[in-house]
Every structure is written in C-alpha cells, then in structure tokens.
C-alpha cells in the first residue's frame, strides 16, 4: 500500500491535471506514480519536464536501457515494471534486451557501455573512475553525450527514490527478478 496520499481525481491541484491528461494520452493510462506526485504540481512539473527534455538527448532504447539498469541497482520494483512495460510495449525492446539492461548490459555494445556506466554512476555516487570514463568513451560516447548519460541516470534515480519512499501501489505487471518471468 502506498505510503503517501494520492489525491482523488477531483482533488488534484490546479496545474497538475494538464500533465496527468498528457501522460494518460501518451501511455494509455495514468500511472500511480504520477497520480501521487500530482499532489505537488511543482514536483510533477519538474519530473515531467525533465523526462520531456531528456527524451531529446539520447535515443529511446538507450534511455530505457539506462532506466532499467539504474532501477535494478536501486531495487525499485515500480520503476522496473514501468520501464519494462514502456520498453517492450512502446520502445520495441526485446525481452532479452530488457533482461540484459537490468543486469547492466544490452544486445547493443554501445548501449551496454551506457548501462554499465550508469550503474557505476549510481554505485559510486557520481565518483566514477578514469577507467569508467575511458570505457564509455571507448564505446563511442562524446563528452556531451556522457553528460546526457549521467542526467538520464539521475532522472531514473529521482523516480526510483520517489517510488521507493512511497512504496507506490503497482498498477502494471510486476516484472520480478532478472531471469524470472514478468
């Protein structure tokens, strides 16, 4: 059971309804995470705007790969379920690639490097080593792209933390542990 209050639809504060409507149109439903965040329109705006902005800096499969790798590292069941759903249903990722992403890999060499780097950013709290930067650069990422990789990882951390604090009620299928059926 969620630990933070989720406003009833008629009690959603002014300014949050527009974002919820857009999310519902985009995803086909409004996820519980966003319903809860809607209790603070400024936080909802920040999360939605960050996601929108970051959707323009890296391709979707790389963003999904990072989100899955970071969500696995943080043990966020809600985010794993959501990113698995979005990655497979809207992002065209295979079950195998999703499983690899959760483990910090990918069927694509460059995306695998992004996943490993993102997990290292999380594990080291941003204090990655020179070898981590060399590895991600060696996979073909430029410094501006590395900034995007870090920001997408932090975006995933943000929603992981919000959902882990809240223990958000699952409104999408739980995906289980890596290698388990979802």
């Amino acid at each position: 059971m969620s630990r933070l209050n989720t406003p009833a639809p008629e009690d959603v504060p002014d300014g949050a309804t527009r974002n919820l409507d857009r999310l519902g149109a985009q995803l086909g439903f409004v996820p519980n995470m966003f319903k809860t965040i809607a209790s603070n329109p400024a936080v909802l705006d920040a999360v939605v705007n960050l996601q929108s902005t970051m959707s323009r800096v890296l391709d979707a499969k790389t963003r999904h790969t990072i989100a899955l790798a970071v969500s696995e590292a943080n043990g966020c069941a809600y985010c794993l379920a959501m990113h698995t759903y979005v990655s497979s249903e809207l992002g065209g990722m295979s079950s195998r690639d999703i499983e690899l992403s959760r483990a910090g890999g990918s069927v694509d060499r460059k995306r695998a490097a992004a996943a490993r780097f993102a997990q290292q950013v999380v594990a080291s709290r941003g204090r990655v080593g020179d070898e981590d930067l060399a590895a991600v650069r060696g996979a073909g990422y430029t410094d501006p792209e590395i900034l995007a990789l870090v920001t997408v990882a932090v975006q995933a951390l943000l929603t992981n933390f919000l959902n882990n604090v809240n223990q958000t009620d699952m409104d999408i299928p739980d995906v289980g542990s890596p290698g388990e059926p979802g």
Side-chain angles (χ1 to χ4, degrees):
M1 177 178 218
S2 292
R3 300 190 304 175
L4 301 174
N5 293 320
T6 300
E10 63 274 7
D11 296 329
V12 171
D14 292 338
T17 304
R18 181 181 41 94
N19 277 326
L20 294 180
D21 290 345
R22 278 190 305 185
L23 289 163
Q26 179 184 8
L27 298 171
F29 71 105
V30 178
N32 283 340
M33 174 184 80
F34 292 108
K35 290 177 185 176
T36 300
I37 297 172
S39 69
N40 186 324
V43 174
L44 181 62
D45 277 345
V47 170
V48 170
N49 289 333
L50 179 59
Q51 290 178 337
S52 175
T53 299
M54 296 317 295
S55 73
R56 298 187 301 265
V57 299
L58 295 168
D59 67 273
K61 286 185 179 180
T62 299
R63 292 190 322 273
H64 295 316
T65 297
I66 292 168
L68 287 160
V70 170
S71 296
E72 183 69 36
N74 284 310
C76 185
Y78 189 88
C79 291
L80 282 169
M82 179 57 70
H83 291 297
T84 297
Y85 171 80
V86 171
S87 297
S88 64
E89 300 300 314
L90 306 175
M93 286 178 70
S94 69
S95 296
R96 176 72 178 139
D97 203 14
I98 290 169
E99 182 179 329
L100 288 169
S101 295
R102 290 179 65 176
S106 174
V107 298
D108 177 85
R109 181 187 71 80
K110 189 172 181 181
R111 284 198 322 253
R116 282 189 301 276
F117 183 74
Q119 284 186 327
Q120 188 56 32
V121 167
V122 171
S124 70
R125 295 187 175 129
R127 291 179 174 88
V128 297
D130 292 341
E131 65 279 0
D132 299 311
L133 283 171
V136 78
R137 284 180 178 133
Y141 286 100
T142 63
D143 286 0
E145 290 170 324
I146 292 169
L147 292 171
L149 296 175
V150 172
T151 306
V152 171
V154 170
Q155 172 189 326
L157 277 173
L158 171 62
T159 57
N160 290 174
F161 286 7
L162 290 169
N163 286 299
N164 283 344
V165 165
N166 185 35
Q167 296 177 0
T168 305
D169 289 335
M170 197 67 68
D171 55 347
I172 45 184
D174 185 4
V175 295
S177 298
E180 289 181 10

